[in-house]
Amino acid sequence: MGILVRQSLFNTALAYFGILLGFVNVVLLYPRVLAVEEFGLTRLLVSIATIAAQASQLGAENTIMRYFPYFRDTARKHRGLLAMLLLFGLAMSLLAMIALWALHGTLTAVFADRNTLYGAYGLLLLPIVLAEIYFILLRSYSRSLRRTVQPTFIREFVLRALQTVLIVAQWKLRMPFGVFMAAYASLFLICTLALVLDLKRSGHFDLGWEHRWLPGRLKRSMTTYTLFTFMASIAGMVLGNMDQIMIGALLGRDALAQVAHYAVAFYFGSVIAAPGRALQQVATPMIADAWKRHDHGTVSGLYRRSAFVQWLVSGLLFVLMFTGMEDLFALLPPSYTGASLVAFIIGLAYLLNSSIGLSAPVISMSRSYALDAYSSIAMVLINLIANFFLIRSMGVAGAAWATFIALTTVNAYRTWFLWWRYRLWPYDARFLLVLALMLGLIFVVPWIPLTGKPMLDLPIRAALVVAVFVPTAYALGLLKDAEAMIRKAIGGSTSKVPK
């Protein structure tokens, strides 16, 4: 547990430092340096590349983490797993790039806008997809080796720092947009190369082809698992990314501008999901090990404590976002103001998502992994159908509601399933105390008169919220789990989660 806590804290710190850089990029730089359609194009390309890469790796990310304990053998270079992984990545990358190249004309027609930007720069998807497929595969390999901080540092900090440098360079030098886009695409390749160099530096980039081992029985088991987890691997990426793609396809000639508006608002709301992402990166391999040992107590402890700590931290973040919403959007150009409802809906969706803790990896690493696949397919279908109707009738707010409906419906079912099948339940009375504290601050803080200047009011309101939330939570005894996790991180304990 000490390893889990220390790496989770590092990952969370890196995630929020990356969020700070993302705030600078998304709120202060991109909307002011790029035309709104140009900014929308960068969001659209990343969304398409993200879904294409997730689909192309066929669920291998989860498969690697679940089955790595069977390959773990340092003397035999983990039985050639890395070599097989790289070969698989090469084959799938080539197929994905060929498919996107062949579909370029069709996608240009689908995403046609008044500036024809997608037609001019859409093929820059190809290097981004290549980089993303290899990054996903190498990240899962690194996590299986309990090296979770390094890929998080590269993805959350290095990539965003490089993007900050690039957008500042664009501001100062006024490069042709084609040059900017080529440099933008190259940043993803640089980050994938950085992960390769990190694995090599740490002595873990040994191909081990001569030691490759994949017996028939294990191969069949891995294939079955991969088929079931394929949709699960892309479901999380579909939310948000699919929204932006469908906005680009359904909202006509101003679609790229609407994509930009939605992307900024979605970014504000999705900040609430950062603690869960950081914890899941570290905990998934440990859950896989616990299920392999049939250690129900460890799984139950991780599930319960992760759910409450995420609810507590995400609750604070939701209050900060809600009370600072008006000031946040005042920092943006006026055309973005109408997207504030999107930020609220997405924030609420991820707040509710945080309350179920590690339910997705608990299911996907168990013998019930098929349920993860079925529920993920349901999530994607609900999202697609709801997007099609709600975007047409409600615009970008409809896309946000589609994400909310898909996420909360499937998460409710997963929570019920874990109780019914394994008697795992994350909730207790403390959740209601946190909810009451959140509601109290949400109703009071926005009415406090301040200076009227967003750059001043934003930090003042945030300080007021933290100054009330943290001491109140401490007085109510709500910080005990968080304190215990921090003590374990500092003390370096490797004891198990209390059962």
Side-chain angles (χ1 to χ4, degrees):
M1 183 63 178
I3 296 172
L4 168 65
V5 175
R6 288 194 300 276
Q7 294 198 17
S8 294
L9 291 175
F10 277 124
N11 285 336
T12 301
L14 287 171
Y16 280 105
F17 198 75
I19 286 169
L20 179 61
L21 281 175
F23 177 85
V24 172
N25 294 343
V26 171
V27 178
L28 302 180
L29 294 177
Y30 278 118
R32 287 171 171 78
V33 176
L34 299 180
V36 66
E37 293 86 359
E38 293 172 342
F39 179 34
L41 177 68
T42 65
R43 301 299 92 194
L44 183 63
L45 291 185
V46 170
S47 293
I48 296 172
T50 299
I51 292 179
Q54 285 289 341
S56 299
Q57 52 95 15
L58 299 177
E61 182 175 21
N62 282 335
T63 303
I64 294 163
M65 288 188 285
R66 187 178 193 273
Y67 286 91
F68 186 80
Y70 298 93
F71 288 88
R72 185 182 287 118
D73 187 338
T74 304
R76 297 182 182 181
K77 301 178 181 178
H78 303 303
R79 300 177 183 266
L81 179 61
L82 180 60
M84 292 185 283
L85 195 61
L86 294 176
L87 187 62
F88 170 78
L90 177 62
M92 300 314 297
S93 297
L94 289 175
L95 287 174
M97 290 189 292
I98 291 171
L100 287 170
W101 175 77
L103 292 171
H104 178 63
T106 301
L107 293 175
T108 298
V110 170
F111 299 118
D113 68 288
R114 59 189 176 190
N115 295 317
T116 65
L117 289 176
Y118 186 87
Y121 305 109
L123 287 178
L124 287 172
L125 273 174
L126 306 188
I128 299 175
V129 168
L130 174 66
E132 285 295 279
I133 290 174
Y134 270 111
F135 191 89
I136 290 168
L137 296 176
L138 292 173
R139 178 178 61 189
S140 66
Y141 186 73
S142 181
R143 289 176 181 172
S144 298
L145 294 166
R146 305 290 173 84
R147 293 177 58 80
T148 65
V149 173
Q150 292 80 3
T152 302
F153 174 74
I154 293 169
R155 172 60 74 183
E156 301 291 345
F157 174 74
V158 174
L159 177 60
R160 286 172 175 167
L162 290 174
Q163 289 173 342
T164 302
V165 171
L166 177 61
I167 193 65
V168 170
Q170 176 70 2
W171 176 35
K172 295 293 186 181
L173 303 178
R174 292 297 173 184
M175 298 178 286
F177 186 62
V179 174
F180 170 83
M181 288 301 300
Y184 182 82
S186 71
L187 299 183
F188 294 87
L189 294 168
I190 291 170
C191 287
T192 300
L193 179 60
L195 184 53
V196 171
L197 295 176
D198 174 73
L199 287 168
K200 188 172 182 62
R201 179 189 60 81
S202 62
H204 292 297
F205 201 78
D206 290 323
L207 299 182
W209 183 254
E210 67 279 10
H211 298 293
R212 64 189 183 279
W213 169 83
L214 190 59
R217 183 178 179 183
L218 183 61
K219 184 177 181 179
R220 288 190 297 272
S221 177
M222 292 176 69
T223 301
T224 302
Y225 180 81
T226 298
L227 291 174
F228 274 110
T229 58
F230 169 60
M231 286 304 296
S233 69
I234 69 171
M237 292 298 175
V238 163
L239 299 179
N241 290 299
M242 182 58 70
D243 296 352
Q244 294 178 47
I245 292 172
M246 294 188 72
I247 288 169
L250 295 175
L251 292 186
R253 294 176 62 82
D254 290 325
L256 287 182
Q258 297 298 322
V259 170
H261 298 162
Y262 184 84
V264 172
F266 189 93
Y267 173 80
F268 288 149
S270 64
V271 165
I272 293 164
R277 289 198 303 266
L279 183 59
Q280 185 168 319
Q281 289 169 11
V282 183
T284 300
M286 294 185 174
I287 292 171
D289 278 340
W291 277 127
K292 182 175 180 289
R293 300 191 310 269
H294 305 289
D295 189 350
H296 185 276
T298 294
V299 174
S300 177
L302 285 170
Y303 183 45
R304 286 186 292 103
R305 297 181 75 178
S306 69
F308 181 72
V309 171
Q310 284 186 57
W311 174 249
L312 183 68
V313 177
S314 296
L316 172 59
L317 294 173
F318 182 80
V319 174
L320 289 170
M321 183 204 72
F322 184 87
T323 56
M325 186 92 69
E326 185 176 345
D327 295 324
L328 284 170
F329 278 89
L331 298 175
L332 290 162
S335 63
Y336 287 80
T337 304
S340 59
L341 178 60
V342 171
F344 170 75
I345 297 167
I346 296 299
L348 184 60
Y350 280 114
L351 173 65
L352 296 176
N353 183 64
S354 73
S355 71
I356 64 170
L358 298 169
S359 64
V362 167
I363 294 173
S364 66
M365 297 295 135
S366 72
R367 292 184 177 181
S368 303
Y369 57 80
L371 184 280
D372 190 44
Y374 297 142
S375 62
S376 296
I377 292 171
M379 183 184 295
V380 171
L381 291 176
I382 293 170
N383 185 248
L384 286 173
I385 295 169
N387 265 327
F388 182 79
F389 291 103
L390 295 179
I391 289 174
R392 288 171 175 269
S393 61
M394 302 173 64
V396 293
W401 280 118
T403 294
F404 179 90
I405 292 168
L407 199 60
T408 53
T409 301
V410 172
N411 281 339
Y413 176 74
R414 286 173 172 170
T415 303
W416 170 83
F417 175 82
L418 284 173
W419 169 249
W420 173 77
R421 179 66 177 83
Y422 298 107
R423 286 299 183 263
L424 296 173
W425 186 251
Y427 303 118
D428 57 41
R430 296 176 301 168
F431 281 78
L432 295 177
L433 292 175
V434 175
L435 178 61
L437 178 56
M438 290 168 50
L439 291 175
L441 288 169
I442 284 172
F443 281 113
V444 172
V445 172
W447 294 97
I448 299 175
L450 296 176
T451 67
K453 298 177 180 179
M455 288 296 290
L456 293 177
D457 289 354
L458 192 61
I460 292 173
R461 288 189 198 280
L464 286 172
V465 169
V466 173
V468 175
F469 189 98
V470 175
T472 305
Y474 180 81
L476 294 172
L478 302 177
L479 300 183
K480 292 180 180 178
D481 279 347
E483 290 173 345
M485 293 175 72
I486 293 171
R487 282 197 298 270
K488 284 180 179 292
I490 296 173
S493 170
T494 56
S495 60
K496 293 182 179 180
V497 180
K499 299 182 181 180

